[in-house]
Amino acid sequence: MSQRSDGVFERRLTAALVDDVGRPPEAVLAWVLVETERIRPLPQVLAVLAEPALVMPERVVVGVRRNRLLLVAAATLLLLAGLIAVASLRPSPLDAWTTRGGSPSRSATGLTGPVGTPRQLWTFQAGAAVETTPLIVGDVALVGTVDGVLHALDLRSGGRRWSAEIGPGAGGPSVVGGQILFVGGDGSVRALQLSDGSEAWSTAVGAMPAVDLAASEGIAWAATDAGEIVALETGSGTERWRAAVPNAGSASPIAGLAVSERLLVATVGSVGSVGLDRADGRVVWSAPGDGEQLGVPTIAGDVVWAGPGEDVKVGGLSALRLGDGTRIWHLEEPFGAPVVSGDTAVTTAASTIGVVTGRDPASGAERWRFGPGGYFLQVAIAGDVAYVLSHTQRQVYGLDIGTGHLLWQVPLDAEPGCCLAVARGTLVVATSSGTVTAYGDGERGEGPATSFTSQPTSPAASAPGSAAPSALAPASPIPFPLSVTDQFDAASLGLDAPISVGLAANGDFYITDSGHRVSQFGPDGRLVRRWGSQGDGPGEFDFGTATTAIGQRGPLAIGSDGLVYVSDIENHRVQVFAPDGRFLRSFGSLGSGPGRFTIPFDLNADPDGNVYVTDDGAQRITKFSPGGAVLWIADHTTDARLLGHAHTPSFDSAGSLIVSIDDSATIVHLDPATGRVIRSIGGGGCQASADAWDRIYVVDCVAGTIRVLDAAGRELARHPELAVADLRILPDGRGIALGRDGSVLLLQVTPP
Amino acid sequence: MSAAADPRVATASAKADLVERARAGDHTAFAILARAAFGRMYGAAKLILRDQYRAEDAVQEALVVAWRHIAAIRAPDAWDVWLYRLTVRVCYRLARAGADRTVVALDLQPEREAPSGDFTESVVERDRITAALSRLPLEQRAVIVLHFYLDLTLAQAAVVLDVPAGTAKSRLNRGLVALRVSLGEDPELVVAAMRERPT
């Protein structure tokens, strides 16, 4: 309460000021809390020096007085000397991901990745699939899309700095000397300025976009479909030399390039590998292969590795002496060229064998094996962590390079198109959905953004080619456990376009439709009753219109006592009805404060009549008492794992609340009593429901397909055709879904 | 739970405990404090800068600095004053820089509670007063916002502004005079009324 003795004008002034402010933007606060959680406060000495003294009567309450600064400075001089020494260590120029594989050798070293379990920093929607490698250079992340746009993003915030048209079909980018080089879809080699994306030069070369450029120290090398390598000066695009690679041509195209200090190594189809002098293209050595289709080579130290390409299931991995191409060892297993760090070479099995191994670079002897199955795309090493990108599992795995132990795994929203990038403490991954995600340090905060889902692997046998058991096996597939027991089309039910469905314990099912109505049907599809019309009064609804961005939404839930709960979306309220359709009560209104809703929002009710609402717009979950009182609110400020859009709450067999966060593709389990996050797993989508055996049914946000996961998040089954817009599973194994065609499907879960 | 109703900051001792914890690096404690202060910081920034978007920038920056420099705070009871000072400091910098900002679309505009009573008259009055406020020099506007919106005493406002108490008082008085004259009041009557105003 004010201590002032205000006159009339002062009171009017105060009222005007308060009224003018309006409601503070919560999104700003949300950003602040995310940002501050990511950074560390300054040490006290530095904070005191940085912050001017604030003197309240008689005492200094912030900082120190100026006349004491000298004493402070003297006392901390030695400390500062040490801090300056540390602070002067700028990020190594090697700590950048400048091309495919991180460096021109395709086996980048000197990288720093996120500390601890990576925590999502930001996402960026590129608008089209990303199928070439992301790059990290300085404080910029570069991402190119299949529709021919290259985006430069701020590495810390994901904010777009610029975008440039590079044309569809362009090859993967490489950065050298402040320029971004790539092969255009027309075979030209082009250079853009890293600072603003403006074109620096373009040279017609006849290069193959599918073979990533190699660039280093002012020269870029590109492979042509005529079996040549062309060297260009990166400053101008001037062709320096062009050399034919022995036995390379349209029948045996050049597969990949890697560069060392002196030599350029090219792999050629199924022919073998060739070492060329990078200064003039002179062939230094030629090493025949074993007939397998080779992939991109890697170089580390004085060794070059060549192995089968991504889709090749046969062949073996060879280690060659870089100077003359003589074979050091050969592994008769289809493993691709490894990434090497110190005394560990990490390589993935080509094709869908689904194994990652750590090996002795000198002998190829296997030290460990990690095998979740599926098709791997890439390995990168930063520090003592191997980052493994899985296409099939839609995950990034973090492995200890010494033991192969699984340290963490990060789920992706879709299949990755190509590659990841790791540098500057940041992991950047892009997927076929066009989502670009950056992850940073995860050592602080309430808990890991992702969870362990596997056990460490055991060390492998020492002889090359010997097999060791995989300690981490994928879940055994099962037949799709949902069967359709009955089906009704919308017309037969007398419905306008159905929107959402709910299933009662007595077998009746309820549907909201575009007529702003709720219809109740018996198990045989017989109409029991129908109520509602468009409006904002009790028993009236407004489910929006089909032409808006979110379309019509009218989620409903049926309590175990038969009460009907309806998300009255455009009226920003929940309405509650008796089983006979009588209006009982409503709660909520438009707003961002507690107990208020934005749009859209999903809901469910527990056996006690408490209502759980996931507000997509406000990105939070609220529990209401049966009377509509707010019991708790959970969002990213209460737990970082809730950052994003949460969908349709449901319950598992233990009564835990389950919500799917589509942004992070996670499924989060919460304590319904407190809203505290219990755990999270990967594999989330737009809906997640659990059956009595804790198998989780996840509806894909785009395709509407249903995947079935086990409690650890591993996929058990996936229906090849069924696509739904809404899905509910009851504890007794019955279920209901709304097909994409508007049909209503009654379902039955098959027990394990 | 609204910041105003948050029992975790309802008492001075509870808030002091949170400040101590935040000083020790407890981000959860900082988040509670930030949430509790955010509304008033934003309001003050918006009133000083007369620009919603720059006010957002100011509050963002002030809170990030508060977290980064939190180890500099020596007395937990100075928390609010320090936050306000950070806010005003950033506001001054943004206002003097005259930085243009590319407008970024917001999903939700800050809501206004529907005013009770005579809607039209109160809105007109509000707009007149705030328009007049916009015409004040920055320093006068700031002290008015601190004193009347944040309800700080003149002594506290002086600390926030890092000026002597007498300077704060004179700026306030000059600002009020200018405001009332700008609203059409007779200057002589205004000055007479100000002389009689309790200090």
Side-chain angles (χ1 to χ4, degrees):
Chain A
M1 185 175 295
S2 174
Q3 302 284 333
R4 304 190 305 268
S5 301
D6 286 344
V8 172
F9 175 77
E10 285 79 3
R11 289 195 294 275
R12 287 163 53 205
L13 172 61
T14 301
L17 294 178
V18 171
D19 193 43
D20 188 57
V21 167
R23 192 173 298 279
E26 290 291 330
V28 171
L29 176 63
W31 181 91
V32 167
L33 296 180
V34 170
E35 180 70 10
T36 52
E37 190 174 25
R38 201 178 55 80
I39 61 177
R40 290 188 180 86
L42 291 175
Q44 185 174 22
V45 169
L46 294 182
V48 164
L49 290 174
E51 190 58 30
L54 190 156
V55 183
M56 289 171 70
E58 314 273 327
R59 60 197 175 117
V60 177
V61 292
V62 177
V64 292
R65 291 182 189 273
R66 291 182 186 276
N67 60 6
R68 290 201 176 183
L69 277 180
L70 284 176
L71 290 175
V72 173
T76 58
L77 193 61
L78 278 175
L79 177 61
L80 281 177
L83 289 173
I84 288 170
V86 173
S88 67
L89 291 175
R90 294 190 178 87
S92 163
L94 293 178
D95 196 9
W97 194 275
T98 62
T99 184
R100 183 188 181 104
S103 72
S105 70
R106 312 304 183 192
S107 180
T109 58
L111 303 170
T112 59
V115 175
T117 302
R119 180 179 298 278
Q120 182 175 305
L121 296 178
W122 50 260
T123 62
F124 173 81
Q125 295 300 328
V130 176
E131 295 185 350
T132 55
T133 183
L135 302 184
I136 298 173
V137 184
D139 60 354
V140 174
L142 295 168
V143 179
T145 61
V146 295
D147 62 351
V149 181
L150 183 67
H151 299 285
L153 311 175
D154 183 278
L155 186 63
R156 285 189 61 185
S157 68
R160 189 173 63 87
R161 292 195 180 179
W162 54 258
S163 299
E165 293 283 339
I166 60 174
S174 297
V175 172
V176 60
Q179 292 182 326
I180 308 163
L181 276 63
F182 59 94
V183 178
D186 59 357
S188 64
V189 176
R190 296 175 56 194
L192 307 180
Q193 300 291 357
L194 178 60
S195 58
D196 60 8
S198 59
E199 180 148 302
W201 52 260
S202 177
T203 299
V205 170
M208 293 190 291
V211 179
D212 289 293
L213 290 171
S216 174
E217 297 173 345
I219 302 294
W221 297 270
T224 73
D225 54 10
E228 302 165 314
I229 292 176
V230 181
L232 305 171
E233 294 182 1
T234 59
S236 61
T238 303
E239 185 172 315
R240 183 175 280 193
W241 55 257
R242 181 181 291 247
V245 176
N247 301 312
S250 57
S252 290
I254 295 170
L257 303 173
V259 176
S260 70
E261 284 188 10
R262 194 173 66 85
L263 292 183
L264 169 71
V265 176
T267 45
V268 181
S270 58
V271 174
S273 307
V274 180
L276 303 95
D277 190 315
R278 59 183 258 177
D280 56 17
R282 177 178 55 86
V283 175
V284 176
W285 53 260
S286 179
D290 290 320
E292 70 277 11
Q293 290 291 328
L294 296 173
V296 179
T298 61
I299 300 173
D302 60 355
V303 181
V304 57
W305 285 269
E310 288 174 1
D311 294 327
V312 178
K313 301 179 183 178
V314 296
L317 174 63
S318 295
L320 311 174
R321 210 170 305 280
L322 179 61
D324 58 15
T326 56
R327 179 175 286 183
I328 302 172
W329 52 258
H330 178 77
L331 174 67
E332 193 53 48
E333 281 188 85
F335 282 90
V339 175
V340 181
S341 177
D343 65 349
T344 301
V346 181
T347 177
T348 63
S351 191
T352 57
I353 297 175
V355 182
V356 184
T357 60
R359 298 180 178 274
D360 177 356
S363 65
E366 183 176 311
R367 292 197 185 122
W368 53 259
R369 175 172 289 219
F370 172 74
Y375 176 33
F376 289 104
L377 287 174
Q378 185 195 359
V379 175
I381 296 177
D384 55 4
V385 178
Y387 297 75
V388 182
L389 181 62
S390 170
H391 180 273
T392 306
Q393 304 292 346
R394 308 201 316 188
Q395 306 270 339
V396 179
Y397 298 99
L399 309 179
D400 181 299
I401 64 168
T403 63
H405 290 185
L406 178 66
L407 301 173
W408 46 261
Q409 62 188 87
V410 172
L412 305 175
D413 72 316
E415 288 81 10
C418 163
C419 313
L420 53 77
V422 181
R424 303 293 299 272
T426 309
L427 165 68
V428 175
V429 187
T431 67
S432 57
S433 70
T435 302
V436 183
T437 308
Y439 303 86
D441 294 348
E443 63 177 354
R444 304 178 71 243
E446 294 83 5
T450 57
S451 60
F452 284 21
T453 61
S454 62
Q455 299 299 317
T457 59
S458 53
S462 60
S466 64
S470 170
L472 178 66
S476 299
I478 63 172
F480 190 73
L482 274 182
S483 57
V484 178
T485 57
D486 214 339
Q487 182 171 351
F488 307 92
D489 62 55
S492 70
L493 297 177
L495 297 173
D496 297 337
I499 302 173
S500 292
V501 292
L503 184 63
N506 65 356
D508 286 0
F509 57 92
Y510 295 74
I511 302 175
T512 53
D513 72 352
S514 61
H516 310 279
R517 307 174 298 183
V518 176
S519 301
Q520 176 186 357
F521 300 91
D524 57 357
R526 173 185 52 85
L527 177 67
V528 175
R529 62 177 57 84
R530 177 171 286 154
W531 71 91
S533 60
Q534 189 170 15
D536 60 7
E540 296 179 330
F541 308 102
D542 190 345
F543 298 140
T545 62
T547 56
T548 62
I550 64 166
Q552 287 192 296
R553 297 289 295 269
L556 72 165
I558 316 301
S560 57
D561 52 7
L563 293 185
V564 181
Y565 303 82
V566 182
S567 288
D568 188 2
I569 293 287
E570 292 286 351
N571 289 322
H572 311 282
R573 63 183 179 183
V574 174
Q575 293 201 62
V576 186
F577 301 88
D580 62 3
R582 278 179 301 114
F583 171 79
L584 295 178
R585 58 185 175 272
S586 70
F587 57 88
S589 60
L590 173 63
S592 57
R596 297 188 170 195
F597 306 124
T598 62
I599 53 172
F601 54 96
D602 297 325
L603 81 173
N604 209 337
D606 66 20
D608 296 325
N610 299 303
V611 183
Y612 302 80
V613 178
T614 51
D615 191 322
D616 192 310
Q619 299 184 40
R620 68 183 181 207
I621 306 158
T622 305
K623 178 180 179 179
F624 295 86
S625 71
V630 174
L631 298 180
W632 53 253
I633 298 173
D635 61 15
H636 74 276
T637 64
T638 58
D639 194 299
R641 287 168 284 186
L642 295 174
L643 181 65
H645 300 89
H647 298 277
T648 313
S650 60
F651 302 94
D652 67 9
S653 64
S656 297
L657 185 69
I658 302 172
V659 294
S660 181
I661 311 288
D662 68 39
D663 306 65
S664 59
T666 55
I667 297 168
V668 183
H669 291 67
L670 301 95
D671 179 350
T674 63
R676 182 182 61 85
V677 173
I678 300 171
R679 66 190 183 94
S680 67
I681 59 175
C686 266
Q687 271 187 318
S689 302
D691 65 19
W693 301 274
D694 287 333
R695 296 174 299 192
I696 304 174
Y697 302 77
V698 181
V699 178
D700 185 89
C701 293
V702 176
T705 51
I706 303 173
R707 290 179 296 124
V708 184
L709 311 180
D710 65 9
R714 298 178 300 178
E715 184 168 308
L716 297 172
R718 175 193 294 242
H719 198 286
E721 296 168 354
L722 181 62
V724 301
D726 199 6
L727 173 69
R728 304 276 180 162
I729 304 290
L730 295 190
D732 62 6
R734 290 176 299 137
I736 187 170
L738 182 64
R740 286 278 175 112
D741 60 358
S743 59
V744 177
L745 309 172
L746 297 182
L747 308 169
Q748 181 63 49
V749 172
T750 304
Chain B
M1 182 180 299
S2 71
D6 192 338
R8 295 171 291 186
V9 295
T11 66
S13 61
K15 183 185 283 189
D17 178 63
L18 287 170
V19 173
E20 291 289 356
R21 284 168 49 194
R23 270 191 58 191
D26 184 342
H27 185 266
T28 301
F30 173 79
I32 295 169
L33 293 165
R35 181 173 291 279
F38 176 72
R40 287 162 64 80
M41 291 173 69
Y42 170 77
K46 187 182 176 192
L47 290 170
I48 292 173
L49 290 171
R50 307 306 303 151
D51 182 308
Q52 168 193 331
Y53 302 112
R54 285 200 289 172
E56 291 174 6
D57 286 348
V59 174
Q60 267 177 207
E61 183 173 336
L63 283 173
V64 172
V65 170
W67 175 243
R68 286 279 285 167
H69 295 181
I70 199 163
I73 191 167
R74 297 166 66 172
D77 60 340
W79 174 254
D80 286 331
V81 172
W82 183 48
L83 284 187
Y84 298 148
R85 185 171 80 158
L86 291 173
T87 305
V88 170
R89 199 164 75 197
V90 177
C91 287
Y92 273 29
R93 182 171 57 77
L94 292 179
R96 285 164 179 159
D100 288 329
R101 180 194 160 101
T102 301
V103 174
V104 176
L106 296 177
D107 292 332
L108 287 174
Q109 295 296 319
E111 291 185 30
R112 295 189 184 280
E113 295 288 350
S116 58
D118 189 334
F119 174 79
T120 305
E121 190 174 312
S122 66
V123 169
V124 170
E125 159 112 320
R126 179 196 72 211
D127 288 348
R128 288 185 64 231
I129 291 176
T130 54
L133 186 73
S134 301
R135 292 190 287 270
L136 292 181
L138 177 67
E139 291 79 4
Q140 293 176 10
R141 191 160 68 239
V143 71
I144 286 175
V145 169
L146 294 177
H147 188 57
F148 288 101
Y149 174 73
L150 290 179
D151 200 28
L152 300 185
T153 65
L154 275 176
Q156 290 171 325
V159 171
V160 170
L161 296 170
D162 200 19
V163 298
T167 302
K169 179 179 176 182
S170 68
R171 286 182 185 175
L172 179 68
N173 285 340
R174 287 203 302 274
L176 287 175
V177 169
L179 204 59
R180 296 175 73 164
V181 170
S182 178
L183 289 169
E185 295 188 33
D186 185 315
E188 289 188 10
L189 295 177
V190 169
V191 171
M194 293 301 297
R195 287 200 191 101
E196 296 177 7
R197 180 175 175 278
T199 59

